[in-house]
Each structure stands twice: as structure tokens, then as C-alpha cells.
Amino acid sequence: MSRGSQSSRAGKSTTTTPASVVVVGGGMAGLCSARELAAAGLAVTVLEASPDFGGSVAPHSLAGLTLDAGAESFSTRADTVPALARELGLGDRIRTPNPAGAWLQLPAPDGGRMAAPLPISGVLGIPADVRDPDITRLIGRAASVRAALDRALPLGSLLNQSELSLGAVVRARMGSEVLTRLVAPVVGGVLSADPDDLDVDSAVPGLRAAMRRHGSLGAAVGAMRQAAPAGSTVAGLDGGMHQLPAALVDVLKRDGANLLASEPVRTLTRRPDGWTVVTDSRTLEADAVIVAVDGPTAVDLLSPTLPQLARDRPEVVPDVALVSLVVDVPQLDAAPRGTGVLVGEGTPGVRAKALTHATAKWPWLADKAGPGNHVVRLSYGRASDTTAQVADDALFSAALHDASLLLDVRIGQADVVDWDVVRWNNALPHATIGHRDRIARVRAATADERGLEVVGAWLAGTGLVSVIDNARDRASALARRLLDAY
Ligand SMILES: Cc1cc2nc3c(=O)[nH]c(=O)nc-3n(C[C@H](O)[C@H](O)[C@H](O)COP(=O)(O)OP(=O)(O)OC[C@H]3O[C@@H](n4cnc5c(N)ncnc54)[C@H](O)[C@@H]3O)c2cc1C
């Protein structure tokens, strides 16, 4: 690693110039990486393709309200996000959501629809106790009897399979009704994924070990649930999660980092003493790079240097379209479906896969919206459905129709104060079967590159906790290597 190499920012190299690092991608992974590097005294430049920093944690404005356009909460399983919020002066804005919880909307046995509160005893919709009458009501008596076999049948060789999906585990232990009516709606609504595609060890880390210890799936999720911290499993920020990247940008600017938006990186080339980074308008020379973009783009940028990465280029995931409505409908003050609705596949007449009643979920937002006004966000993008691809006007009509059905309150055009469609392309990578092996290969391929780190949800796992923890760890390891090289 060269010391004080030339960079467009630092000018000619001198023995006192700090090592320079270019961070490619200004989402949460890139910004958190940049923060670690800047704190270590390194010269940091962040190149972001879009006009704004924050990636999937972004704001949009409707009816005078600034709302989250992407991520709107974080998991409380670790102190990661609260710690970052406190560091950024946002600690006093942390709020837990309305504990009322969400509902499920499912196909009914008579061909119609049925709605009920989502039982909250399990993990990702997997019930801890299938004899719970609330569960039986949702899956039916026969399916409940089948699911109860989980506690009686030996585990056999199921857990010995190295490549195992979450769907396969649930189906084998509790039957297909538990999978399609409880687990799939939650996994689809929360992770935008099909449980049959998800690697069980990545979707629910520790589940295999817990099943071995406790002898069944139900006992395992019950124990995991009990071991989790008491209280809400998620929290948010009063004012919205988009304040987090905005505050990071402020701190980075204050610390002298160079933040450049609308600068998509086109090529990355390794030199003997660093990297050359090329955008449409500039060429930068850096001692090291952190690649903090989506998986396919990361592999495309790095393949010329590390051709072995090409075999593990992740597939592009289906697009998600979110329709946000601000409506003036006082009947919604009663929060008829709690904080929102997760929709089972095949529910007649409904194309959305989930609805968040944001003003019911977040009291701070209800206060801002004012009496009778409500914010409702519907998400589209099932693999089996093309609604996410239709034009905005058609999506708006679908959202009005679906919101009325899901909330059981008629919402017409005249009730709409404002609306917006946000489309997320390839933004929710799935940990598909074999994920761990693929990640291990990617990590092995990049391990010998002392001036390179690769971060982001495609490697760390979707969700702010994993993304932030991983980015901070990797960036501080890189900073140590660069400083040791001096
Ligand atoms: C709709 C939605 C809702 C979500 N809700 C939640 C939630 O409630 N809670 C939660 O914990 N997580 C949630 N997530 C997941 C979480 O937001 C992400 O896992 C996390 O923000 C990903 O951060 P990242 O930096 O890895 O990727 P991104 O946020 O995707 O950032 C990558 C950045 O790289 C940029 N980029 C791409 N190519 C280039 C290039 N060639 N040159 C320069 N820049 C480039 C992109 O423009 C982007 O800004 C949600 C995600 C989405 C999409």
C-alpha cells in the first residue's frame, strides 16, 4: 500500500498526506464505512450514483409530510441502530410502534377472504404453539392437527442437509398450510421473498441449532422468542428513518469527507499501489476502495480484477413498487387492522402483498398528519404478479381498491389528499439457498486484496442492523490495515 498516493482530492502525494479511500455507493453501508474511515483520519471520498445519499433509506414528501420512502424501522435485536442514532444526536427520537401489531388477510375456505390479527408468539410467522386457537382459526383444524406432529415426530435427517430452505423446514415439520397461510405472508411482506427461496440459516440464524436442542420447530421458535429482548422487536425514529443518512452526511462533511452525488462509478482498476476509480466526469486514484453497492453491480465492477467473482454474481431480485396514500378518512382513526395487513398469496381480489397503516403504527406521524388524516403504504411485487410493473396511475387505482378491501373501509378518489409511487429496483437482496457458501467464496476471493473491502446488504444480509454492523467492522479493519502500512 502506498503512502500518500495521488488523488484528485489530495493533489500531489506528500509524506504527510493521509491514505485515501474511495467508497463506491452512498447508501447506509457506504456512509457508515466512510464514517469509520474519516474517524480514523483517512482521506475519504464517497461516490454515489443517484442525486441523493442514503440508498434504501430515503425520504419523499406528500401533503406537506416528509415520509420514509424505503426503510421505516429497524430491528431492536441489537443496539446497532440506537447506538448510531445516539452518536448522531438522534437518540431522543427513537420510538417503538403501536403494539397493536398487524393483521393477516387470507383466502377463506369458502372462496372469499378472511382477516385476523397476526399471532405474535413465533418467529417470521412460524408459530410456537400450533394448538393456540388463534392459529387454528387461521389454518383450519386439519392443518392444526398436522402441524402438531412437529412436537411428536423425530427430526430425522432433515437438519443434516447442507442446503436447506426455510420453506422446506416449515413444510416438513408443520405442513404446507402453516407455510402458505402463516409464514409466506410474513416473509413476503417483510422480506419480499418466498420462504422456499430463502436459506434457512440466513433467514433465521440459529434455528437449526435450536431445533436440535429442543427437538422440534415449534419448541425452537418458542425458545428463540423467549430469549429475545422483551418489548417491541422493531423501532423507528420520530420524523422518519431518513434522518439517519442525512445526519451521517452532515457529520461526514464536517469531518472533511468528500461526498459526490450523481457520480456513478463505471470502472475500478487495481494498480500495484492502489486503485483507479472512473466515473463519467472524473478519474480518482486511491490507496484503497470500499465497494458498497448492490451485488450485481459490485461483481460487475470487480470482475475485471477478480474474475472468479463472476460465478457468484447474485441474481437481480424482483422490483418492488410502494404506493403511499395520504387520505382524509376519519373511520381509520380506529385503526381497524392494527398497524397494517400482510396478505396471503391467492387472496381473492387483492394484488398488494402488504399494507402499512403508517399513522396507526407511528403515533408521532398521526400527530403530524392531524385528525382524520391517514398515511397508508401498499407494496406490490410478488414474483407471481406483474402489478409492480404497471404505470403509476394504474398502480394508484389498484392501491385504492386494495386499501379499501384490506382496511374494510371504503376509500375513494375524493378521499385522497396526495399520493406517490416509489419503485425500488434490485434493492431487497435475498439470502437464497447456498448463501453462506457463496458469501464465503466472495470473501475468500477478496481476502488477498489488502486495499479492498466489499460491504452492503447483498453480503451482510438485508436490514439495517446487519448492514451497519458489517460496514463498520469491515471499514475499521481496512483503516487499521492502511494505518499499519504507514
Ligand atoms: C422498500 C424497502 C424497505 C425497507 N425496510 C426496511 C426496514 O424497515 N428496516 C430495515 O432494517 N431494513 C429495511 N430495508 C432494508 C435496508 O434498507 C437495506 O438493507 C439497507 O439500507 C441497504 O443498504 P446498502 O448500503 O447495502 O444498499 P443501498 O441502500 O441499496 O445503497 C447502495 C447505493 O449504491 C449506489 N450505487 C449503485 N451503483 C453504483 C455505482 N456504480 N456507483 C456509485 N454508486 C452506486 C446506489 O445508488 C445506492 O445509493 C428496506 C429496504 C427497502 C428497499
PDB file of all heavy atoms in Angstrom, residues 363-399:
ATOM      1  N   PRO A 363     -47.356   6.770  16.316  1.00  0.00           N
ATOM      2  CA  PRO A 363     -48.142   7.893  16.874  1.00  0.00           C
ATOM      3  C   PRO A 363     -47.572   9.258  16.492  1.00  0.00           C
ATOM      4  O   PRO A 363     -48.338  10.200  16.273  1.00  0.00           O
ATOM      5  CB  PRO A 363     -48.075   7.643  18.388  1.00  0.00           C
ATOM      6  CG  PRO A 363     -47.878   6.162  18.516  1.00  0.00           C
ATOM      7  CD  PRO A 363     -47.048   5.753  17.339  1.00  0.00           C
ATOM      8  N   TRP A 364     -46.237   9.389  16.379  1.00  0.00           N
ATOM      9  CA  TRP A 364     -45.669  10.697  16.015  1.00  0.00           C
ATOM     10  C   TRP A 364     -46.165  11.141  14.636  1.00  0.00           C
ATOM     11  O   TRP A 364     -46.378  12.328  14.386  1.00  0.00           O
ATOM     12  CB  TRP A 364     -44.140  10.677  16.064  1.00  0.00           C
ATOM     13  CG  TRP A 364     -43.469   9.741  15.087  1.00  0.00           C
ATOM     14  CD1 TRP A 364     -43.031   8.474  15.346  1.00  0.00           C
ATOM     15  CD2 TRP A 364     -43.189   9.993  13.707  1.00  0.00           C
ATOM     16  NE1 TRP A 364     -42.499   7.918  14.210  1.00  0.00           N
ATOM     17  CE2 TRP A 364     -42.571   8.826  13.194  1.00  0.00           C
ATOM     18  CE3 TRP A 364     -43.378  11.071  12.852  1.00  0.00           C
ATOM     19  CZ2 TRP A 364     -42.158   8.711  11.860  1.00  0.00           C
ATOM     20  CZ3 TRP A 364     -42.968  10.961  11.525  1.00  0.00           C
ATOM     21  CH2 TRP A 364     -42.369   9.793  11.044  1.00  0.00           C
ATOM     22  N   LEU A 365     -46.383  10.161  13.741  1.00  0.00           N
ATOM     23  CA  LEU A 365     -46.827  10.510  12.389  1.00  0.00           C
ATOM     24  C   LEU A 365     -48.310  10.904  12.404  1.00  0.00           C
ATOM     25  O   LEU A 365     -48.725  11.837  11.705  1.00  0.00           O
ATOM     26  CB  LEU A 365     -46.578   9.330  11.443  1.00  0.00           C
ATOM     27  CG  LEU A 365     -46.887   9.578   9.974  1.00  0.00           C
ATOM     28  CD1 LEU A 365     -46.123  10.771   9.428  1.00  0.00           C
ATOM     29  CD2 LEU A 365     -46.568   8.335   9.143  1.00  0.00           C
ATOM     30  N   ALA A 366     -49.086  10.203  13.257  1.00  0.00           N
ATOM     31  CA  ALA A 366     -50.508  10.569  13.394  1.00  0.00           C
ATOM     32  C   ALA A 366     -50.630  12.015  13.881  1.00  0.00           C
ATOM     33  O   ALA A 366     -51.458  12.781  13.384  1.00  0.00           O
ATOM     34  CB  ALA A 366     -51.202   9.615  14.365  1.00  0.00           C
ATOM     35  N   ASP A 367     -49.766  12.396  14.832  1.00  0.00           N
ATOM     36  CA  ASP A 367     -49.803  13.777  15.343  1.00  0.00           C
ATOM     37  C   ASP A 367     -49.500  14.762  14.219  1.00  0.00           C
ATOM     38  O   ASP A 367     -50.141  15.808  14.094  1.00  0.00           O
ATOM     39  CB  ASP A 367     -48.750  13.973  16.447  1.00  0.00           C
ATOM     40  CG  ASP A 367     -49.165  13.278  17.729  1.00  0.00           C
ATOM     41  OD1 ASP A 367     -50.340  12.866  17.812  1.00  0.00           O
ATOM     42  OD2 ASP A 367     -48.304  13.120  18.618  1.00  0.00           O
ATOM     43  N   LYS A 368     -48.521  14.408  13.402  1.00  0.00           N
ATOM     44  CA  LYS A 368     -48.127  15.320  12.308  1.00  0.00           C
ATOM     45  C   LYS A 368     -49.220  15.405  11.245  1.00  0.00           C
ATOM     46  O   LYS A 368     -49.473  16.467  10.674  1.00  0.00           O
ATOM     47  CB  LYS A 368     -46.848  14.818  11.637  1.00  0.00           C
ATOM     48  CG  LYS A 368     -45.582  15.166  12.370  1.00  0.00           C
ATOM     49  CD  LYS A 368     -44.428  15.374  11.377  1.00  0.00           C
ATOM     50  CE  LYS A 368     -43.263  16.067  12.036  1.00  0.00           C
ATOM     51  NZ  LYS A 368     -42.326  15.134  12.656  1.00  0.00           N
ATOM     52  N   ALA A 369     -49.870  14.264  10.954  1.00  0.00           N
ATOM     53  CA  ALA A 369     -50.865  14.221   9.863  1.00  0.00           C
ATOM     54  C   ALA A 369     -52.139  14.965  10.262  1.00  0.00           C
ATOM     55  O   ALA A 369     -52.825  15.526   9.407  1.00  0.00           O
ATOM     56  CB  ALA A 369     -51.178  12.774   9.501  1.00  0.00           C
ATOM     57  N   GLY A 370     -52.448  14.971  11.556  1.00  0.00           N
ATOM     58  CA  GLY A 370     -53.641  15.678  12.021  1.00  0.00           C
ATOM     59  C   GLY A 370     -54.864  14.781  12.025  1.00  0.00           C
ATOM     60  O   GLY A 370     -54.881  13.724  11.381  1.00  0.00           O
ATOM     61  N   PRO A 371     -55.919  15.198  12.739  1.00  0.00           N
ATOM     62  CA  PRO A 371     -57.099  14.352  12.935  1.00  0.00           C
ATOM     63  C   PRO A 371     -57.747  13.953  11.611  1.00  0.00           C
ATOM     64  O   PRO A 371     -57.897  14.787  10.714  1.00  0.00           O
ATOM     65  CB  PRO A 371     -58.056  15.234  13.753  1.00  0.00           C
ATOM     66  CG  PRO A 371     -57.303  16.459  14.127  1.00  0.00           C
ATOM     67  CD  PRO A 371     -56.033  16.510  13.362  1.00  0.00           C
ATOM     68  N   GLY A 372     -58.093  12.695  11.502  1.00  0.00           N
ATOM     69  CA  GLY A 372     -58.810  12.211  10.312  1.00  0.00           C
ATOM     70  C   GLY A 372     -57.913  11.915   9.132  1.00  0.00           C
ATOM     71  O   GLY A 372     -58.314  11.217   8.199  1.00  0.00           O
ATOM     72  N   ASN A 373     -56.682  12.419   9.152  1.00  0.00           N
ATOM     73  CA  ASN A 373     -55.769  12.172   8.034  1.00  0.00           C
ATOM     74  C   ASN A 373     -54.931  10.923   8.301  1.00  0.00           C
ATOM     75  O   ASN A 373     -54.455  10.725   9.421  1.00  0.00           O
ATOM     76  CB  ASN A 373     -54.819  13.358   7.836  1.00  0.00           C
ATOM     77  CG  ASN A 373     -55.506  14.488   7.092  1.00  0.00           C
ATOM     78  OD1 ASN A 373     -56.481  14.247   6.373  1.00  0.00           O
ATOM     79  ND2 ASN A 373     -55.018  15.692   7.274  1.00  0.00           N
ATOM     80  N   HIS A 374     -54.751  10.137   7.267  1.00  0.00           N
ATOM     81  CA  HIS A 374     -54.014   8.884   7.445  1.00  0.00           C
ATOM     82  C   HIS A 374     -53.027   8.646   6.318  1.00  0.00           C
ATOM     83  O   HIS A 374     -53.277   9.018   5.165  1.00  0.00           O
ATOM     84  CB  HIS A 374     -54.986   7.704   7.554  1.00  0.00           C
ATOM     85  CG  HIS A 374     -55.676   7.732   8.870  1.00  0.00           C
ATOM     86  ND1 HIS A 374     -55.155   7.118   9.973  1.00  0.00           N
ATOM     87  CD2 HIS A 374     -56.789   8.390   9.274  1.00  0.00           C
ATOM     88  CE1 HIS A 374     -55.939   7.376  11.011  1.00  0.00           C
ATOM     89  NE2 HIS A 374     -56.945   8.150  10.617  1.00  0.00           N
ATOM     90  N   VAL A 375     -51.914   8.001   6.692  1.00  0.00           N
ATOM     91  CA  VAL A 375     -50.917   7.587   5.703  1.00  0.00           C
ATOM     92  C   VAL A 375     -50.962   6.067   5.615  1.00  0.00           C
ATOM     93  O   VAL A 375     -50.850   5.372   6.634  1.00  0.00           O
ATOM     94  CB  VAL A 375     -49.496   8.042   6.098  1.00  0.00           C
ATOM     95  CG1 VAL A 375     -48.486   7.581   5.038  1.00  0.00           C
ATOM     96  CG2 VAL A 375     -49.439   9.556   6.287  1.00  0.00           C
ATOM     97  N   VAL A 376     -51.153   5.586   4.391  1.00  0.00           N
ATOM     98  CA  VAL A 376     -51.255   4.151   4.148  1.00  0.00           C
ATOM     99  C   VAL A 376     -50.269   3.822   3.033  1.00  0.00           C
ATOM    100  O   VAL A 376     -50.208   4.526   2.023  1.00  0.00           O
ATOM    101  CB  VAL A 376     -52.700   3.804   3.698  1.00  0.00           C
ATOM    102  CG1 VAL A 376     -52.789   2.370   3.244  1.00  0.00           C
ATOM    103  CG2 VAL A 376     -53.688   4.088   4.822  1.00  0.00           C
ATOM    104  N   ARG A 377     -49.456   2.765   3.227  1.00  0.00           N
ATOM    105  CA  ARG A 377     -48.468   2.413   2.197  1.00  0.00           C
ATOM    106  C   ARG A 377     -48.690   0.960   1.771  1.00  0.00           C
ATOM    107  O   ARG A 377     -48.682   0.062   2.609  1.00  0.00           O
ATOM    108  CB  ARG A 377     -47.066   2.606   2.765  1.00  0.00           C
ATOM    109  CG  ARG A 377     -45.971   2.271   1.805  1.00  0.00           C
ATOM    110  CD  ARG A 377     -44.625   2.796   2.305  1.00  0.00           C
ATOM    111  NE  ARG A 377     -43.854   1.760   2.949  1.00  0.00           N
ATOM    112  CZ  ARG A 377     -42.551   1.869   3.252  1.00  0.00           C
ATOM    113  NH1 ARG A 377     -41.898   2.989   2.995  1.00  0.00           N
ATOM    114  NH2 ARG A 377     -41.912   0.907   3.841  1.00  0.00           N
ATOM    115  N   LEU A 378     -48.903   0.761   0.476  1.00  0.00           N
ATOM    116  CA  LEU A 378     -49.125  -0.596  -0.039  1.00  0.00           C
ATOM    117  C   LEU A 378     -47.918  -1.030  -0.841  1.00  0.00           C
ATOM    118  O   LEU A 378     -47.341  -0.233  -1.580  1.00  0.00           O
ATOM    119  CB  LEU A 378     -50.375  -0.642  -0.932  1.00  0.00           C
ATOM    120  CG  LEU A 378     -51.671  -0.327  -0.180  1.00  0.00           C
ATOM    121  CD1 LEU A 378     -52.138   1.067  -0.491  1.00  0.00           C
ATOM    122  CD2 LEU A 378     -52.725  -1.369  -0.494  1.00  0.00           C
ATOM    123  N   SER A 379     -47.553  -2.321  -0.712  1.00  0.00           N
ATOM    124  CA  SER A 379     -46.407  -2.780  -1.501  1.00  0.00           C
ATOM    125  C   SER A 379     -46.830  -3.858  -2.485  1.00  0.00           C
ATOM    126  O   SER A 379     -47.655  -4.727  -2.184  1.00  0.00           O
ATOM    127  CB  SER A 379     -45.261  -3.235  -0.607  1.00  0.00           C
ATOM    128  OG  SER A 379     -45.631  -4.325   0.157  1.00  0.00           O
ATOM    129  N   TYR A 380     -46.233  -3.753  -3.673  1.00  0.00           N
ATOM    130  CA  TYR A 380     -46.507  -4.667  -4.789  1.00  0.00           C
ATOM    131  C   TYR A 380     -45.192  -5.257  -5.248  1.00  0.00           C
ATOM    132  O   TYR A 380     -44.160  -4.605  -5.175  1.00  0.00           O
ATOM    133  CB  TYR A 380     -47.169  -3.909  -5.944  1.00  0.00           C
ATOM    134  CG  TYR A 380     -48.549  -3.423  -5.594  1.00  0.00           C
ATOM    135  CD1 TYR A 380     -48.728  -2.208  -4.932  1.00  0.00           C
ATOM    136  CD2 TYR A 380     -49.672  -4.204  -5.861  1.00  0.00           C
ATOM    137  CE1 TYR A 380     -49.994  -1.770  -4.571  1.00  0.00           C
ATOM    138  CE2 TYR A 380     -50.940  -3.775  -5.500  1.00  0.00           C
ATOM    139  CZ  TYR A 380     -51.095  -2.561  -4.854  1.00  0.00           C
ATOM    140  OH  TYR A 380     -52.345  -2.148  -4.480  1.00  0.00           O
ATOM    141  N   GLY A 381     -45.253  -6.485  -5.759  1.00  0.00           N
ATOM    142  CA  GLY A 381     -44.030  -7.075  -6.300  1.00  0.00           C
ATOM    143  C   GLY A 381     -43.894  -8.550  -6.009  1.00  0.00           C
ATOM    144  O   GLY A 381     -42.781  -9.042  -5.821  1.00  0.00           O
ATOM    145  N   ARG A 382     -45.022  -9.277  -5.941  1.00  0.00           N
ATOM    146  CA  ARG A 382     -44.916 -10.735  -5.840  1.00  0.00           C
ATOM    147  C   ARG A 382     -44.298 -11.269  -7.122  1.00  0.00           C
ATOM    148  O   ARG A 382     -44.556 -10.751  -8.210  1.00  0.00           O
ATOM    149  CB  ARG A 382     -46.308 -11.354  -5.728  1.00  0.00           C
ATOM    150  CG  ARG A 382     -46.964 -11.217  -4.402  1.00  0.00           C
ATOM    151  CD  ARG A 382     -48.189 -12.121  -4.387  1.00  0.00           C
ATOM    152  NE  ARG A 382     -49.126 -11.725  -3.347  1.00  0.00           N
ATOM    153  CZ  ARG A 382     -48.946 -11.962  -2.044  1.00  0.00           C
ATOM    154  NH1 ARG A 382     -47.866 -12.575  -1.642  1.00  0.00           N
ATOM    155  NH2 ARG A 382     -49.844 -11.569  -1.172  1.00  0.00           N
ATOM    156  N   ALA A 383     -43.539 -12.363  -6.963  1.00  0.00           N
ATOM    157  CA  ALA A 383     -42.945 -12.981  -8.147  1.00  0.00           C
ATOM    158  C   ALA A 383     -44.034 -13.401  -9.137  1.00  0.00           C
ATOM    159  O   ALA A 383     -43.850 -13.330 -10.357  1.00  0.00           O
ATOM    160  CB  ALA A 383     -42.108 -14.184  -7.730  1.00  0.00           C
ATOM    161  N   SER A 384     -45.216 -13.789  -8.613  1.00  0.00           N
ATOM    162  CA  SER A 384     -46.277 -14.316  -9.468  1.00  0.00           C
ATOM    163  C   SER A 384     -47.182 -13.217 -10.030  1.00  0.00           C
ATOM    164  O   SER A 384     -48.187 -13.517 -10.665  1.00  0.00           O
ATOM    165  CB  SER A 384     -47.143 -15.265  -8.635  1.00  0.00           C
ATOM    166  OG  SER A 384     -47.650 -14.550  -7.516  1.00  0.00           O
ATOM    167  N   ASP A 385     -46.874 -11.950  -9.795  1.00  0.00           N
ATOM    168  CA  ASP A 385     -47.807 -10.875 -10.133  1.00  0.00           C
ATOM    169  C   ASP A 385     -47.045  -9.717 -10.780  1.00  0.00           C
ATOM    170  O   ASP A 385     -45.966  -9.356 -10.319  1.00  0.00           O
ATOM    171  CB  ASP A 385     -48.483 -10.404  -8.831  1.00  0.00           C
ATOM    172  CG  ASP A 385     -49.416  -9.240  -9.052  1.00  0.00           C
ATOM    173  OD1 ASP A 385     -50.441  -9.422  -9.712  1.00  0.00           O
ATOM    174  OD2 ASP A 385     -49.105  -8.131  -8.561  1.00  0.00           O
ATOM    175  N   THR A 386     -47.622  -9.153 -11.835  1.00  0.00           N
ATOM    176  CA  THR A 386     -46.894  -8.102 -12.569  1.00  0.00           C
ATOM    177  C   THR A 386     -47.373  -6.689 -12.215  1.00  0.00           C
ATOM    178  O   THR A 386     -46.973  -5.723 -12.860  1.00  0.00           O
ATOM    179  CB  THR A 386     -47.070  -8.298 -14.092  1.00  0.00           C
ATOM    180  OG1 THR A 386     -48.473  -8.350 -14.364  1.00  0.00           O
ATOM    181  CG2 THR A 386     -46.387  -9.559 -14.585  1.00  0.00           C
ATOM    182  N   THR A 387     -48.210  -6.568 -11.182  1.00  0.00           N
ATOM    183  CA  THR A 387     -48.763  -5.243 -10.860  1.00  0.00           C
ATOM    184  C   THR A 387     -47.666  -4.202 -10.621  1.00  0.00           C
ATOM    185  O   THR A 387     -47.829  -3.040 -10.990  1.00  0.00           O
ATOM    186  CB  THR A 387     -49.665  -5.333  -9.610  1.00  0.00           C
ATOM    187  OG1 THR A 387     -50.568  -6.406  -9.793  1.00  0.00           O
ATOM    188  CG2 THR A 387     -50.451  -4.045  -9.395  1.00  0.00           C
ATOM    189  N   ALA A 388     -46.537  -4.626 -10.023  1.00  0.00           N
ATOM    190  CA  ALA A 388     -45.474  -3.655  -9.721  1.00  0.00           C
ATOM    191  C   ALA A 388     -44.945  -2.986 -10.978  1.00  0.00           C
ATOM    192  O   ALA A 388     -44.366  -1.909 -10.909  1.00  0.00           O
ATOM    193  CB  ALA A 388     -44.328  -4.333  -8.968  1.00  0.00           C
ATOM    194  N   GLN A 389     -45.169  -3.623 -12.142  1.00  0.00           N
ATOM    195  CA  GLN A 389     -44.612  -3.052 -13.380  1.00  0.00           C
ATOM    196  C   GLN A 389     -45.570  -2.083 -14.089  1.00  0.00           C
ATOM    197  O   GLN A 389     -45.179  -1.445 -15.057  1.00  0.00           O
ATOM    198  CB  GLN A 389     -44.262  -4.174 -14.366  1.00  0.00           C
ATOM    199  CG  GLN A 389     -42.850  -4.720 -14.181  1.00  0.00           C
ATOM    200  CD  GLN A 389     -42.873  -6.008 -13.401  1.00  0.00           C
ATOM    201  OE1 GLN A 389     -43.562  -6.937 -13.790  1.00  0.00           O
ATOM    202  NE2 GLN A 389     -42.161  -6.051 -12.292  1.00  0.00           N
ATOM    203  N   VAL A 390     -46.825  -1.977 -13.644  1.00  0.00           N
ATOM    204  CA  VAL A 390     -47.776  -1.130 -14.383  1.00  0.00           C
ATOM    205  C   VAL A 390     -47.491   0.348 -14.101  1.00  0.00           C
ATOM    206  O   VAL A 390     -46.771   0.692 -13.158  1.00  0.00           O
ATOM    207  CB  VAL A 390     -49.262  -1.479 -14.058  1.00  0.00           C
ATOM    208  CG1 VAL A 390     -49.528  -2.949 -14.333  1.00  0.00           C
ATOM    209  CG2 VAL A 390     -49.634  -1.089 -12.638  1.00  0.00           C
ATOM    210  N   ALA A 391     -48.059   1.207 -14.938  1.00  0.00           N
ATOM    211  CA  ALA A 391     -47.811   2.653 -14.813  1.00  0.00           C
ATOM    212  C   ALA A 391     -48.371   3.186 -13.491  1.00  0.00           C
ATOM    213  O   ALA A 391     -49.249   2.571 -12.877  1.00  0.00           O
ATOM    214  CB  ALA A 391     -48.456   3.383 -15.988  1.00  0.00           C
ATOM    215  N   ASP A 392     -47.869   4.345 -13.091  1.00  0.00           N
ATOM    216  CA  ASP A 392     -48.229   4.907 -11.786  1.00  0.00           C
ATOM    217  C   ASP A 392     -49.746   5.045 -11.604  1.00  0.00           C
ATOM    218  O   ASP A 392     -50.278   4.720 -10.540  1.00  0.00           O
ATOM    219  CB  ASP A 392     -47.571   6.285 -11.606  1.00  0.00           C
ATOM    220  CG  ASP A 392     -46.085   6.173 -11.325  1.00  0.00           C
ATOM    221  OD1 ASP A 392     -45.552   5.037 -11.382  1.00  0.00           O
ATOM    222  OD2 ASP A 392     -45.452   7.220 -11.065  1.00  0.00           O
ATOM    223  N   ASP A 393     -50.445   5.554 -12.625  1.00  0.00           N
ATOM    224  CA  ASP A 393     -51.890   5.770 -12.481  1.00  0.00           C
ATOM    225  C   ASP A 393     -52.619   4.471 -12.210  1.00  0.00           C
ATOM    226  O   ASP A 393     -53.550   4.410 -11.388  1.00  0.00           O
ATOM    227  CB  ASP A 393     -52.461   6.416 -13.751  1.00  0.00           C
ATOM    228  CG  ASP A 393     -52.116   7.897 -13.809  1.00  0.00           C
ATOM    229  OD1 ASP A 393     -51.560   8.401 -12.809  1.00  0.00           O
ATOM    230  OD2 ASP A 393     -52.391   8.532 -14.843  1.00  0.00           O
ATOM    231  N   ALA A 394     -52.216   3.416 -12.919  1.00  0.00           N
ATOM    232  CA  ALA A 394     -52.870   2.116 -12.722  1.00  0.00           C
ATOM    233  C   ALA A 394     -52.542   1.553 -11.342  1.00  0.00           C
ATOM    234  O   ALA A 394     -53.387   0.945 -10.678  1.00  0.00           O
ATOM    235  CB  ALA A 394     -52.423   1.147 -13.818  1.00  0.00           C
ATOM    236  N   LEU A 395     -51.311   1.795 -10.889  1.00  0.00           N
ATOM    237  CA  LEU A 395     -50.943   1.334  -9.537  1.00  0.00           C
ATOM    238  C   LEU A 395     -51.754   2.072  -8.479  1.00  0.00           C
ATOM    239  O   LEU A 395     -52.194   1.477  -7.488  1.00  0.00           O
ATOM    240  CB  LEU A 395     -49.462   1.619  -9.291  1.00  0.00           C
ATOM    241  CG  LEU A 395     -48.493   0.458  -9.396  1.00  0.00           C
ATOM    242  CD1 LEU A 395     -47.082   0.929  -9.133  1.00  0.00           C
ATOM    243  CD2 LEU A 395     -48.848  -0.649  -8.414  1.00  0.00           C
ATOM    244  N   PHE A 396     -51.946   3.370  -8.707  1.00  0.00           N
ATOM    245  CA  PHE A 396     -52.743   4.167  -7.766  1.00  0.00           C
ATOM    246  C   PHE A 396     -54.164   3.596  -7.660  1.00  0.00           C
ATOM    247  O   PHE A 396     -54.690   3.416  -6.560  1.00  0.00           O
ATOM    248  CB  PHE A 396     -52.761   5.625  -8.245  1.00  0.00           C
ATOM    249  CG  PHE A 396     -53.736   6.501  -7.519  1.00  0.00           C
ATOM    250  CD1 PHE A 396     -53.612   6.718  -6.149  1.00  0.00           C
ATOM    251  CD2 PHE A 396     -54.783   7.120  -8.204  1.00  0.00           C
ATOM    252  CE1 PHE A 396     -54.525   7.536  -5.477  1.00  0.00           C
ATOM    253  CE2 PHE A 396     -55.686   7.938  -7.535  1.00  0.00           C
ATOM    254  CZ  PHE A 396     -55.556   8.147  -6.167  1.00  0.00           C
ATOM    255  N   SER A 397     -54.761   3.263  -8.814  1.00  0.00           N
ATOM    256  CA  SER A 397     -56.131   2.701  -8.783  1.00  0.00           C
ATOM    257  C   SER A 397     -56.140   1.366  -8.047  1.00  0.00           C
ATOM    258  O   SER A 397     -57.039   1.089  -7.243  1.00  0.00           O
ATOM    259  CB  SER A 397     -56.654   2.477 -10.207  1.00  0.00           C
ATOM    260  OG  SER A 397     -56.650   3.690 -10.888  1.00  0.00           O
ATOM    261  N   ALA A 398     -55.120   0.528  -8.320  1.00  0.00           N
ATOM    262  CA  ALA A 398     -55.045  -0.766  -7.637  1.00  0.00           C
ATOM    263  C   ALA A 398     -54.914  -0.559  -6.126  1.00  0.00           C
ATOM    264  O   ALA A 398     -55.536  -1.265  -5.324  1.00  0.00           O
ATOM    265  CB  ALA A 398     -53.848  -1.566  -8.163  1.00  0.00           C
ATOM    266  N   ALA A 399     -54.117   0.453  -5.744  1.00  0.00           N
ATOM    267  CA  ALA A 399     -53.881   0.698  -4.318  1.00  0.00           C
ATOM    268  C   ALA A 399     -55.156   1.165  -3.611  1.00  0.00           C
ATOM    269  O   ALA A 399     -55.446   0.738  -2.490  1.00  0.00           O
ATOM    270  CB  ALA A 399     -52.774   1.734  -4.149  1.00  0.00           C
TER     271      ALA A 399
END
